[in-house]
Every structure is written in structure tokens, then in C-alpha cells.
Amino acid sequence: MKIGFIGLGNMAKAIIGGMLRENIVLPEDILGSAKTVSTMERIKEEFGIHVVNDNRQIAAESEVIVLAVKPIFFPEIIEEIKDEITSDKLIISIAAGKTMEWIEKSFAKEVKLIRCMPNTPALVGEGCTAVCTNAGVTKEEEEFCLRLMGSFGKAVSIPERLMDAAGAVSGSSPAYVFMFIEAMADGAVAAGMPRKQAYEFAAQAVLGAAKMVLETGIHPGELKDMVCSPGGTTIEGVRVLEERGMRSAIMEALGACVEKSQRL
Ligand SMILES: NC(=O)c1ccc[n+]([C@@H]2O[C@H](COP(=O)([O-])OP(=O)(O)OC[C@H]3O[C@@H](n4cnc5c(N)ncnc54)[C@H](OP(=O)(O)O)[C@@H]3O)[C@@H](O)[C@H]2O)c1
């Protein structure tokens, strides 16, 4: 099976890397195009895939076409490739905010369409990808896509109405977590810790805490309570975070992210 990528940026790299690591496809069965020759050369060098400077050719020669450009370029890319898209080809879109209805209308014909929302931790094999399909997609095709997206982390099918929420809680949230890690490290630096070590401690604490949520199944509130000894140091920090509205700030941030995604 030939898989074609239109766009070879961060996300495409994560997907291609995962697919190759898990032997889901061979490098010679992957085609890719980018805007600049330098990107194409770099990706060809890194993964040994075929690259062509022609999106129509990618669409014509691939059975599965992954649209991996920024949402703003979707109208021109779809216009460029739509005559090459036949009813047997599977389109996978990873764009934030572009609904299946919008994409179907842009192709102006019935297409097999899967919409995915990955995130950048995919680059280190710890991605979280939400997947939804239109009526033209078979169960086998959905499972193939889950295997593809599962090659670099978790992949879960959800109804499309939850896609904007998934975009906020996993697609965009790494940015908020990086801010949290940076802020914690700044706090440790203020307390005298060398900066490099502060990032390491902060990031490892976030990794460990996330693992505890996922692996123990214990409610995050209960895990928080377990760290807070009566009259201890941790509860003092919790009190300050509550006073400064940490939880409501995060909820509002996710709400703003969902709203923006709905407007794209
Ligand atoms: N980054 C995230 O966290 C994230 C999370 C979830 C979903 N997404 C979605 O994933 C998609 C890709 O994001 P990204 O972060 O991978 O973006 P990116 O790193 O900026 O990559 C975009 C790629 O598109 C290529 N491109 C631009 N115009 C093109 C054209 N006319 N023909 C062919 N290729 C073209 C660029 O080529 P050059 O390299 O030559 O410029 C680049 O390789 C977006 O739709 C985004 O919404 C991203």
C-alpha cells in the first residue's frame, strides 16, 4: 500500500517515524511533498522515502493520502489534488479545526475521510491522537488508521463533536505543560538550583505524575491529597495556586482554545 504525505513538517515526521519503527509500511511505499526542496531533501535523507515536488502526483500514486499542511493551506491543496481523488482512496486529515463537513464540501464529491488530532509528543513516541471517520470509511480502514497513529503513542476513536475538546486537551496542551515546566524550573532556580538541573527535575516530576494518573487509575485529586501532609510544605504551595486561580486559568485556557478551533 502506498501512503502519500502532503506536508512534511513536525507532525508528518512523527507519523512517518512511527510507521517505519513499527514496520507498518516500508520506506519505498511512502511518498511525500513539501513546499520547499530543502524540507524534501532533509526528510528523504532521514527516512529514505520518495519525495516529489508535485501534490497531484502524490494524490494520484497513493492509496492513502495524509493532508499534513497547516489548516490555512487546505483550500489550495484540496483544489490542487481533488481531480486525482477517486472513491477508493482514503484521505487522512490532521488539521486542527477543519471539520469533516468542510473537507467533504471542498472535495465536492464523496470521499473516504478520517480526521485525526495528534500532538507533538508523537515526536518522542508518546503522542495522543484522536480519530474520527466519515460514513465512507470501513472498520478495517479505521483500524489501519488507529494502528498508524498508535505507532507513536495512544490513538483513540471519538465522535467528531469531541474533536475540538481533544484538540485542546491533547493537541495544544503540551504548550501549557511546557509553560508549567518552565515556571517550575524558574522557581527552583530562584531557590538556588542550577537551571539545567531544574528543567530535568521539573520535567521528570511531570512525567512521573502523569504516569501515576495513567497507571494507578487513582483520581488526580486523591493523588494530590496523598502528597499534601497535614501542616506540610506542599499544601502551602497548593494554597497559593488556588489563591492565584491556577485551575480556573487552565479551564479558561482550554475553553479559549476550543472556541478558536470552532472558528477556524
Ligand atoms: N504541531 C502540533 O502540535 C499539531 C497538533 C495537532 C495537529 N496539527 C496539525 O498538523 C498539521 C501540520 O502541522 P505541523 O506542526 O506538522 O506543521 P509544520 O511543521 O509547519 O509543517 C507543515 C508542512 O507543510 C508543508 N507545506 C506548506 N505548503 C505546502 C504545499 N503547498 N504543498 C506541500 N507542502 C506544503 C511545509 O513545507 P516546508 O517545510 O517546505 O515549508 C511543511 O513541511 C496542521 O494542519 C496542524 O493543524 C499540529
PDB file of all heavy atoms in Angstrom, residues 117-157:
ATOM      1  N   MET A 117      -6.451  14.100  15.269  1.00  0.00           N
ATOM      2  CA  MET A 117      -5.845  15.202  16.023  1.00  0.00           C
ATOM      3  C   MET A 117      -4.680  14.645  16.832  1.00  0.00           C
ATOM      4  O   MET A 117      -4.859  14.140  17.934  1.00  0.00           O
ATOM      5  CB  MET A 117      -6.912  15.832  16.929  1.00  0.00           C
ATOM      6  CG  MET A 117      -6.401  16.906  17.851  1.00  0.00           C
ATOM      7  SD  MET A 117      -5.454  18.202  17.052  1.00  0.00           S
ATOM      8  CE  MET A 117      -6.667  18.866  15.930  1.00  0.00           C
ATOM      9  N   PRO A 118      -3.476  14.678  16.257  1.00  0.00           N
ATOM     10  CA  PRO A 118      -2.307  14.200  17.011  1.00  0.00           C
ATOM     11  C   PRO A 118      -1.718  15.313  17.881  1.00  0.00           C
ATOM     12  O   PRO A 118      -2.296  16.394  17.970  1.00  0.00           O
ATOM     13  CB  PRO A 118      -1.329  13.811  15.898  1.00  0.00           C
ATOM     14  CG  PRO A 118      -1.718  14.642  14.723  1.00  0.00           C
ATOM     15  CD  PRO A 118      -3.129  15.130  14.922  1.00  0.00           C
ATOM     16  N   ASN A 119      -0.606  15.066  18.529  1.00  0.00           N
ATOM     17  CA  ASN A 119       0.095  16.141  19.253  1.00  0.00           C
ATOM     18  C   ASN A 119       1.613  15.935  19.152  1.00  0.00           C
ATOM     19  O   ASN A 119       2.070  14.875  18.730  1.00  0.00           O
ATOM     20  CB  ASN A 119      -0.388  16.267  20.714  1.00  0.00           C
ATOM     21  CG  ASN A 119      -0.071  15.044  21.552  1.00  0.00           C
ATOM     22  OD1 ASN A 119       0.518  14.083  21.091  1.00  0.00           O
ATOM     23  ND2 ASN A 119      -0.469  15.085  22.804  1.00  0.00           N
ATOM     24  N   THR A 120       2.387  16.971  19.518  1.00  0.00           N
ATOM     25  CA  THR A 120       3.840  16.886  19.269  1.00  0.00           C
ATOM     26  C   THR A 120       4.584  15.833  20.096  1.00  0.00           C
ATOM     27  O   THR A 120       5.631  15.375  19.637  1.00  0.00           O
ATOM     28  CB  THR A 120       4.552  18.255  19.450  1.00  0.00           C
ATOM     29  OG1 THR A 120       4.206  18.783  20.723  1.00  0.00           O
ATOM     30  CG2 THR A 120       4.215  19.212  18.352  1.00  0.00           C
ATOM     31  N   PRO A 121       4.113  15.400  21.277  1.00  0.00           N
ATOM     32  CA  PRO A 121       4.831  14.298  21.934  1.00  0.00           C
ATOM     33  C   PRO A 121       4.924  13.052  21.045  1.00  0.00           C
ATOM     34  O   PRO A 121       5.715  12.128  21.330  1.00  0.00           O
ATOM     35  CB  PRO A 121       4.006  14.058  23.206  1.00  0.00           C
ATOM     36  CG  PRO A 121       3.453  15.413  23.518  1.00  0.00           C
ATOM     37  CD  PRO A 121       3.105  15.996  22.164  1.00  0.00           C
ATOM     38  N   ALA A 122       4.163  13.040  19.951  1.00  0.00           N
ATOM     39  CA  ALA A 122       4.315  11.986  18.939  1.00  0.00           C
ATOM     40  C   ALA A 122       5.769  11.894  18.479  1.00  0.00           C
ATOM     41  O   ALA A 122       6.256  10.814  18.123  1.00  0.00           O
ATOM     42  CB  ALA A 122       3.414  12.292  17.742  1.00  0.00           C
ATOM     43  N   LEU A 123       6.468  13.016  18.502  1.00  0.00           N
ATOM     44  CA  LEU A 123       7.868  13.032  18.046  1.00  0.00           C
ATOM     45  C   LEU A 123       8.774  12.173  18.917  1.00  0.00           C
ATOM     46  O   LEU A 123       9.854  11.778  18.489  1.00  0.00           O
ATOM     47  CB  LEU A 123       8.400  14.475  18.023  1.00  0.00           C
ATOM     48  CG  LEU A 123       7.852  15.365  16.905  1.00  0.00           C
ATOM     49  CD1 LEU A 123       8.095  16.828  17.202  1.00  0.00           C
ATOM     50  CD2 LEU A 123       8.487  14.986  15.566  1.00  0.00           C
ATOM     51  N   VAL A 124       8.350  11.905  20.171  1.00  0.00           N
ATOM     52  CA  VAL A 124       9.150  11.034  21.039  1.00  0.00           C
ATOM     53  C   VAL A 124       8.380   9.748  21.384  1.00  0.00           C
ATOM     54  O   VAL A 124       8.634   9.108  22.400  1.00  0.00           O
ATOM     55  CB  VAL A 124       9.598  11.776  22.328  1.00  0.00           C
ATOM     56  CG1 VAL A 124      10.619  12.846  22.003  1.00  0.00           C
ATOM     57  CG2 VAL A 124       8.416  12.373  23.093  1.00  0.00           C
ATOM     58  N   GLY A 125       7.419   9.404  20.518  1.00  0.00           N
ATOM     59  CA  GLY A 125       6.682   8.145  20.695  1.00  0.00           C
ATOM     60  C   GLY A 125       5.660   8.158  21.817  1.00  0.00           C
ATOM     61  O   GLY A 125       5.194   7.110  22.266  1.00  0.00           O
ATOM     62  N   GLU A 126       5.279   9.345  22.301  1.00  0.00           N
ATOM     63  CA  GLU A 126       4.293   9.444  23.388  1.00  0.00           C
ATOM     64  C   GLU A 126       3.111  10.328  22.975  1.00  0.00           C
ATOM     65  O   GLU A 126       2.584  11.105  23.775  1.00  0.00           O
ATOM     66  CB  GLU A 126       4.951  10.022  24.658  1.00  0.00           C
ATOM     67  CG  GLU A 126       5.916   9.077  25.344  1.00  0.00           C
ATOM     68  CD  GLU A 126       5.259   7.841  25.963  1.00  0.00           C
ATOM     69  OE1 GLU A 126       4.020   7.789  26.100  1.00  0.00           O
ATOM     70  OE2 GLU A 126       6.004   6.900  26.296  1.00  0.00           O
ATOM     71  N   GLY A 127       2.722  10.210  21.716  1.00  0.00           N
ATOM     72  CA  GLY A 127       1.617  11.034  21.217  1.00  0.00           C
ATOM     73  C   GLY A 127       0.272  10.601  21.775  1.00  0.00           C
ATOM     74  O   GLY A 127       0.148   9.557  22.419  1.00  0.00           O
ATOM     75  N   CYS A 128      -0.721  11.436  21.541  1.00  0.00           N
ATOM     76  CA  CYS A 128      -2.098  11.089  21.888  1.00  0.00           C
ATOM     77  C   CYS A 128      -2.940  11.588  20.722  1.00  0.00           C
ATOM     78  O   CYS A 128      -2.991  12.800  20.475  1.00  0.00           O
ATOM     79  CB  CYS A 128      -2.479  11.795  23.195  1.00  0.00           C
ATOM     80  SG  CYS A 128      -4.145  11.378  23.710  1.00  0.00           S
ATOM     81  N   THR A 129      -3.532  10.668  19.989  1.00  0.00           N
ATOM     82  CA  THR A 129      -4.225  11.045  18.756  1.00  0.00           C
ATOM     83  C   THR A 129      -5.693  10.646  18.806  1.00  0.00           C
ATOM     84  O   THR A 129      -6.021   9.480  19.034  1.00  0.00           O
ATOM     85  CB  THR A 129      -3.556  10.361  17.534  1.00  0.00           C
ATOM     86  OG1 THR A 129      -2.173  10.680  17.534  1.00  0.00           O
ATOM     87  CG2 THR A 129      -4.187  10.826  16.230  1.00  0.00           C
ATOM     88  N   ALA A 130      -6.554  11.645  18.596  1.00  0.00           N
ATOM     89  CA  ALA A 130      -7.994  11.372  18.487  1.00  0.00           C
ATOM     90  C   ALA A 130      -8.309  11.122  17.016  1.00  0.00           C
ATOM     91  O   ALA A 130      -7.747  11.776  16.135  1.00  0.00           O
ATOM     92  CB  ALA A 130      -8.781  12.568  19.001  1.00  0.00           C
ATOM     93  N   VAL A 131      -9.218  10.172  16.766  1.00  0.00           N
ATOM     94  CA  VAL A 131      -9.520   9.759  15.394  1.00  0.00           C
ATOM     95  C   VAL A 131     -11.035   9.713  15.212  1.00  0.00           C
ATOM     96  O   VAL A 131     -11.745   9.175  16.070  1.00  0.00           O
ATOM     97  CB  VAL A 131      -8.937   8.334  15.145  1.00  0.00           C
ATOM     98  CG1 VAL A 131      -9.378   7.769  13.807  1.00  0.00           C
ATOM     99  CG2 VAL A 131      -7.408   8.339  15.250  1.00  0.00           C
ATOM    100  N   CYS A 132     -11.548  10.279  14.110  1.00  0.00           N
ATOM    101  CA  CYS A 132     -12.958  10.039  13.771  1.00  0.00           C
ATOM    102  C   CYS A 132     -13.098   9.848  12.266  1.00  0.00           C
ATOM    103  O   CYS A 132     -12.250  10.311  11.505  1.00  0.00           O
ATOM    104  CB  CYS A 132     -13.864  11.148  14.303  1.00  0.00           C
ATOM    105  SG  CYS A 132     -13.566  12.742  13.585  1.00  0.00           S
ATOM    106  N   THR A 133     -14.120   9.140  11.872  1.00  0.00           N
ATOM    107  CA  THR A 133     -14.240   8.728  10.468  1.00  0.00           C
ATOM    108  C   THR A 133     -15.585   9.160   9.882  1.00  0.00           C
ATOM    109  O   THR A 133     -16.546   9.332  10.628  1.00  0.00           O
ATOM    110  CB  THR A 133     -14.174   7.188  10.361  1.00  0.00           C
ATOM    111  OG1 THR A 133     -15.309   6.644  11.063  1.00  0.00           O
ATOM    112  CG2 THR A 133     -12.901   6.628  10.966  1.00  0.00           C
ATOM    113  N   ASN A 134     -15.659   9.290   8.553  1.00  0.00           N
ATOM    114  CA  ASN A 134     -16.977   9.538   7.948  1.00  0.00           C
ATOM    115  C   ASN A 134     -17.592   8.200   7.515  1.00  0.00           C
ATOM    116  O   ASN A 134     -16.966   7.133   7.668  1.00  0.00           O
ATOM    117  CB  ASN A 134     -16.903  10.593   6.830  1.00  0.00           C
ATOM    118  CG  ASN A 134     -16.335  10.048   5.518  1.00  0.00           C
ATOM    119  OD1 ASN A 134     -15.894   8.902   5.435  1.00  0.00           O
ATOM    120  ND2 ASN A 134     -16.351  10.888   4.503  1.00  0.00           N
ATOM    121  N   ALA A 135     -18.800   8.282   6.955  1.00  0.00           N
ATOM    122  CA  ALA A 135     -19.548   7.059   6.674  1.00  0.00           C
ATOM    123  C   ALA A 135     -18.879   6.191   5.611  1.00  0.00           C
ATOM    124  O   ALA A 135     -19.109   4.972   5.556  1.00  0.00           O
ATOM    125  CB  ALA A 135     -20.971   7.431   6.240  1.00  0.00           C
ATOM    126  N   GLY A 136     -18.024   6.773   4.770  1.00  0.00           N
ATOM    127  CA  GLY A 136     -17.398   6.001   3.686  1.00  0.00           C
ATOM    128  C   GLY A 136     -16.268   5.098   4.151  1.00  0.00           C
ATOM    129  O   GLY A 136     -15.811   4.230   3.398  1.00  0.00           O
ATOM    130  N   VAL A 137     -15.827   5.277   5.381  1.00  0.00           N
ATOM    131  CA  VAL A 137     -14.645   4.540   5.868  1.00  0.00           C
ATOM    132  C   VAL A 137     -15.063   3.199   6.463  1.00  0.00           C
ATOM    133  O   VAL A 137     -15.994   3.132   7.273  1.00  0.00           O
ATOM    134  CB  VAL A 137     -13.909   5.400   6.938  1.00  0.00           C
ATOM    135  CG1 VAL A 137     -12.759   4.637   7.577  1.00  0.00           C
ATOM    136  CG2 VAL A 137     -13.411   6.702   6.317  1.00  0.00           C
ATOM    137  N   THR A 138     -14.374   2.126   6.060  1.00  0.00           N
ATOM    138  CA  THR A 138     -14.709   0.799   6.597  1.00  0.00           C
ATOM    139  C   THR A 138     -14.043   0.618   7.969  1.00  0.00           C
ATOM    140  O   THR A 138     -13.118   1.341   8.324  1.00  0.00           O
ATOM    141  CB  THR A 138     -14.193  -0.322   5.667  1.00  0.00           C
ATOM    142  OG1 THR A 138     -12.758  -0.246   5.657  1.00  0.00           O
ATOM    143  CG2 THR A 138     -14.728  -0.185   4.257  1.00  0.00           C
ATOM    144  N   LYS A 139     -14.525  -0.397   8.707  1.00  0.00           N
ATOM    145  CA  LYS A 139     -13.939  -0.722  10.014  1.00  0.00           C
ATOM    146  C   LYS A 139     -12.441  -1.032   9.865  1.00  0.00           C
ATOM    147  O   LYS A 139     -11.623  -0.621  10.678  1.00  0.00           O
ATOM    148  CB  LYS A 139     -14.695  -1.943  10.579  1.00  0.00           C
ATOM    149  CG  LYS A 139     -14.661  -2.077  12.069  1.00  0.00           C
ATOM    150  CD  LYS A 139     -15.552  -1.092  12.808  1.00  0.00           C
ATOM    151  CE  LYS A 139     -15.001  -0.816  14.190  1.00  0.00           C
ATOM    152  NZ  LYS A 139     -15.183   0.517  14.677  1.00  0.00           N
ATOM    153  N   GLU A 140     -12.091  -1.765   8.776  1.00  0.00           N
ATOM    154  CA  GLU A 140     -10.680  -2.139   8.561  1.00  0.00           C
ATOM    155  C   GLU A 140      -9.824  -0.887   8.345  1.00  0.00           C
ATOM    156  O   GLU A 140      -8.712  -0.784   8.844  1.00  0.00           O
ATOM    157  CB  GLU A 140     -10.519  -3.053   7.321  1.00  0.00           C
ATOM    158  CG  GLU A 140     -11.075  -4.443   7.463  1.00  0.00           C
ATOM    159  CD  GLU A 140     -12.599  -4.472   7.439  1.00  0.00           C
ATOM    160  OE1 GLU A 140     -13.205  -3.675   6.685  1.00  0.00           O
ATOM    161  OE2 GLU A 140     -13.186  -5.268   8.202  1.00  0.00           O
ATOM    162  N   GLU A 141     -10.382   0.075   7.593  1.00  0.00           N
ATOM    163  CA  GLU A 141      -9.616   1.310   7.340  1.00  0.00           C
ATOM    164  C   GLU A 141      -9.434   2.114   8.629  1.00  0.00           C
ATOM    165  O   GLU A 141      -8.378   2.680   8.888  1.00  0.00           O
ATOM    166  CB  GLU A 141     -10.315   2.156   6.259  1.00  0.00           C
ATOM    167  CG  GLU A 141     -10.163   1.555   4.871  1.00  0.00           C
ATOM    168  CD  GLU A 141     -11.148   2.093   3.841  1.00  0.00           C
ATOM    169  OE1 GLU A 141     -12.226   2.614   4.219  1.00  0.00           O
ATOM    170  OE2 GLU A 141     -10.847   1.978   2.647  1.00  0.00           O
ATOM    171  N   GLU A 142     -10.487   2.125   9.458  1.00  0.00           N
ATOM    172  CA  GLU A 142     -10.381   2.830  10.743  1.00  0.00           C
ATOM    173  C   GLU A 142      -9.318   2.151  11.610  1.00  0.00           C
ATOM    174  O   GLU A 142      -8.470   2.813  12.214  1.00  0.00           O
ATOM    175  CB  GLU A 142     -11.741   2.818  11.459  1.00  0.00           C
ATOM    176  CG  GLU A 142     -11.703   3.541  12.791  1.00  0.00           C
ATOM    177  CD  GLU A 142     -13.047   3.519  13.523  1.00  0.00           C
ATOM    178  OE1 GLU A 142     -14.017   2.918  13.001  1.00  0.00           O
ATOM    179  OE2 GLU A 142     -13.128   4.099  14.616  1.00  0.00           O
ATOM    180  N   GLU A 143      -9.345   0.799  11.616  1.00  0.00           N
ATOM    181  CA  GLU A 143      -8.346   0.078  12.422  1.00  0.00           C
ATOM    182  C   GLU A 143      -6.932   0.302  11.905  1.00  0.00           C
ATOM    183  O   GLU A 143      -5.983   0.447  12.679  1.00  0.00           O
ATOM    184  CB  GLU A 143      -8.678  -1.416  12.474  1.00  0.00           C
ATOM    185  CG  GLU A 143      -9.578  -1.708  13.653  1.00  0.00           C
ATOM    186  CD  GLU A 143     -10.415  -2.963  13.497  1.00  0.00           C
ATOM    187  OE1 GLU A 143     -10.029  -3.849  12.704  1.00  0.00           O
ATOM    188  OE2 GLU A 143     -11.467  -3.036  14.171  1.00  0.00           O
ATOM    189  N   PHE A 144      -6.804   0.374  10.577  1.00  0.00           N
ATOM    190  CA  PHE A 144      -5.486   0.656   9.989  1.00  0.00           C
ATOM    191  C   PHE A 144      -5.000   2.024  10.459  1.00  0.00           C
ATOM    192  O   PHE A 144      -3.838   2.188  10.864  1.00  0.00           O
ATOM    193  CB  PHE A 144      -5.578   0.616   8.455  1.00  0.00           C
ATOM    194  CG  PHE A 144      -4.343   1.114   7.776  1.00  0.00           C
ATOM    195  CD1 PHE A 144      -3.174   0.352   7.764  1.00  0.00           C
ATOM    196  CD2 PHE A 144      -4.320   2.372   7.172  1.00  0.00           C
ATOM    197  CE1 PHE A 144      -2.016   0.833   7.169  1.00  0.00           C
ATOM    198  CE2 PHE A 144      -3.166   2.856   6.580  1.00  0.00           C
ATOM    199  CZ  PHE A 144      -2.014   2.079   6.571  1.00  0.00           C
ATOM    200  N   CYS A 145      -5.889   3.003  10.442  1.00  0.00           N
ATOM    201  CA  CYS A 145      -5.507   4.363  10.860  1.00  0.00           C
ATOM    202  C   CYS A 145      -5.144   4.385  12.348  1.00  0.00           C
ATOM    203  O   CYS A 145      -4.168   5.037  12.746  1.00  0.00           O
ATOM    204  CB  CYS A 145      -6.649   5.332  10.561  1.00  0.00           C
ATOM    205  SG  CYS A 145      -6.217   7.022  10.971  1.00  0.00           S
ATOM    206  N   LEU A 146      -5.888   3.629  13.165  1.00  0.00           N
ATOM    207  CA  LEU A 146      -5.575   3.586  14.606  1.00  0.00           C
ATOM    208  C   LEU A 146      -4.193   2.947  14.826  1.00  0.00           C
ATOM    209  O   LEU A 146      -3.437   3.355  15.692  1.00  0.00           O
ATOM    210  CB  LEU A 146      -6.646   2.798  15.368  1.00  0.00           C
ATOM    211  CG  LEU A 146      -7.981   3.538  15.565  1.00  0.00           C
ATOM    212  CD1 LEU A 146      -9.058   2.591  16.081  1.00  0.00           C
ATOM    213  CD2 LEU A 146      -7.821   4.717  16.543  1.00  0.00           C
ATOM    214  N   ARG A 147      -3.874   1.952  13.973  1.00  0.00           N
ATOM    215  CA  ARG A 147      -2.557   1.303  14.076  1.00  0.00           C
ATOM    216  C   ARG A 147      -1.455   2.289  13.684  1.00  0.00           C
ATOM    217  O   ARG A 147      -0.419   2.391  14.330  1.00  0.00           O
ATOM    218  CB  ARG A 147      -2.534   0.070  13.155  1.00  0.00           C
ATOM    219  CG  ARG A 147      -1.561  -1.008  13.595  1.00  0.00           C
ATOM    220  CD  ARG A 147      -2.027  -2.374  13.137  1.00  0.00           C
ATOM    221  NE  ARG A 147      -2.063  -2.495  11.693  1.00  0.00           N
ATOM    222  CZ  ARG A 147      -1.018  -2.806  10.935  1.00  0.00           C
ATOM    223  NH1 ARG A 147       0.160  -3.027  11.471  1.00  0.00           N
ATOM    224  NH2 ARG A 147      -1.140  -2.916   9.628  1.00  0.00           N
ATOM    225  N   LEU A 148      -1.744   3.036  12.606  1.00  0.00           N
ATOM    226  CA  LEU A 148      -0.798   4.063  12.119  1.00  0.00           C
ATOM    227  C   LEU A 148      -0.531   5.093  13.209  1.00  0.00           C
ATOM    228  O   LEU A 148       0.612   5.380  13.564  1.00  0.00           O
ATOM    229  CB  LEU A 148      -1.467   4.758  10.937  1.00  0.00           C
ATOM    230  CG  LEU A 148      -0.636   5.300   9.804  1.00  0.00           C
ATOM    231  CD1 LEU A 148       0.029   4.158   9.073  1.00  0.00           C
ATOM    232  CD2 LEU A 148      -1.540   6.058   8.835  1.00  0.00           C
ATOM    233  N   MET A 149      -1.593   5.657  13.758  1.00  0.00           N
ATOM    234  CA  MET A 149      -1.465   6.714  14.762  1.00  0.00           C
ATOM    235  C   MET A 149      -0.998   6.128  16.103  1.00  0.00           C
ATOM    236  O   MET A 149      -0.406   6.828  16.909  1.00  0.00           O
ATOM    237  CB  MET A 149      -2.801   7.458  14.943  1.00  0.00           C
ATOM    238  CG  MET A 149      -3.311   8.113  13.666  1.00  0.00           C
ATOM    239  SD  MET A 149      -2.215   9.446  13.117  1.00  0.00           S
ATOM    240  CE  MET A 149      -2.655   9.577  11.384  1.00  0.00           C
ATOM    241  N   GLY A 150      -1.270   4.828  16.299  1.00  0.00           N
ATOM    242  CA  GLY A 150      -0.827   4.163  17.529  1.00  0.00           C
ATOM    243  C   GLY A 150       0.660   3.818  17.484  1.00  0.00           C
ATOM    244  O   GLY A 150       1.231   3.415  18.493  1.00  0.00           O
ATOM    245  N   SER A 151       1.281   3.994  16.320  1.00  0.00           N
ATOM    246  CA  SER A 151       2.707   3.644  16.199  1.00  0.00           C
ATOM    247  C   SER A 151       3.586   4.684  16.894  1.00  0.00           C
ATOM    248  O   SER A 151       4.780   4.486  17.038  1.00  0.00           O
ATOM    249  CB  SER A 151       3.116   3.488  14.730  1.00  0.00           C
ATOM    250  OG  SER A 151       3.054   4.734  14.067  1.00  0.00           O
ATOM    251  N   PHE A 152       2.999   5.822  17.316  1.00  0.00           N
ATOM    252  CA  PHE A 152       3.804   6.826  18.036  1.00  0.00           C
ATOM    253  C   PHE A 152       3.083   7.316  19.290  1.00  0.00           C
ATOM    254  O   PHE A 152       3.207   8.459  19.684  1.00  0.00           O
ATOM    255  CB  PHE A 152       4.166   8.002  17.123  1.00  0.00           C
ATOM    256  CG  PHE A 152       3.001   8.550  16.344  1.00  0.00           C
ATOM    257  CD1 PHE A 152       2.150   9.468  16.914  1.00  0.00           C
ATOM    258  CD2 PHE A 152       2.747   8.135  15.052  1.00  0.00           C
ATOM    259  CE1 PHE A 152       1.072   9.967  16.227  1.00  0.00           C
ATOM    260  CE2 PHE A 152       1.667   8.623  14.341  1.00  0.00           C
ATOM    261  CZ  PHE A 152       0.828   9.550  14.935  1.00  0.00           C
ATOM    262  N   GLY A 153       2.328   6.408  19.921  1.00  0.00           N
ATOM    263  CA  GLY A 153       1.644   6.774  21.167  1.00  0.00           C
ATOM    264  C   GLY A 153       0.261   6.137  21.247  1.00  0.00           C
ATOM    265  O   GLY A 153       0.032   5.077  20.685  1.00  0.00           O
ATOM    266  N   LYS A 154      -0.648   6.832  21.930  1.00  0.00           N
ATOM    267  CA  LYS A 154      -2.027   6.322  22.044  1.00  0.00           C
ATOM    268  C   LYS A 154      -2.854   6.855  20.886  1.00  0.00           C
ATOM    269  O   LYS A 154      -2.663   8.003  20.476  1.00  0.00           O
ATOM    270  CB  LYS A 154      -2.678   6.855  23.322  1.00  0.00           C
ATOM    271  CG  LYS A 154      -2.315   6.120  24.585  1.00  0.00           C
ATOM    272  CD  LYS A 154      -3.164   6.675  25.735  1.00  0.00           C
ATOM    273  CE  LYS A 154      -2.568   6.360  27.083  1.00  0.00           C
ATOM    274  NZ  LYS A 154      -2.393   4.970  27.400  1.00  0.00           N
ATOM    275  N   ALA A 155      -3.801   6.044  20.402  1.00  0.00           N
ATOM    276  CA  ALA A 155      -4.740   6.509  19.376  1.00  0.00           C
ATOM    277  C   ALA A 155      -6.127   6.003  19.758  1.00  0.00           C
ATOM    278  O   ALA A 155      -6.283   4.818  20.057  1.00  0.00           O
ATOM    279  CB  ALA A 155      -4.336   5.986  18.014  1.00  0.00           C
ATOM    280  N   VAL A 156      -7.095   6.903  19.770  1.00  0.00           N
ATOM    281  CA  VAL A 156      -8.424   6.557  20.267  1.00  0.00           C
ATOM    282  C   VAL A 156      -9.488   7.124  19.330  1.00  0.00           C
ATOM    283  O   VAL A 156      -9.398   8.293  18.916  1.00  0.00           O
ATOM    284  CB  VAL A 156      -8.640   7.172  21.689  1.00  0.00           C
ATOM    285  CG1 VAL A 156     -10.004   6.824  22.244  1.00  0.00           C
ATOM    286  CG2 VAL A 156      -7.535   6.731  22.637  1.00  0.00           C
ATOM    287  N   SER A 157     -10.507   6.316  19.001  1.00  0.00           N
ATOM    288  CA  SER A 157     -11.626   6.820  18.192  1.00  0.00           C
ATOM    289  C   SER A 157     -12.584   7.605  19.075  1.00  0.00           C
ATOM    290  O   SER A 157     -12.927   7.158  20.172  1.00  0.00           O
ATOM    291  CB  SER A 157     -12.402   5.651  17.563  1.00  0.00           C
ATOM    292  OG  SER A 157     -11.642   5.084  16.532  1.00  0.00           O
TER     293      SER A 157
END
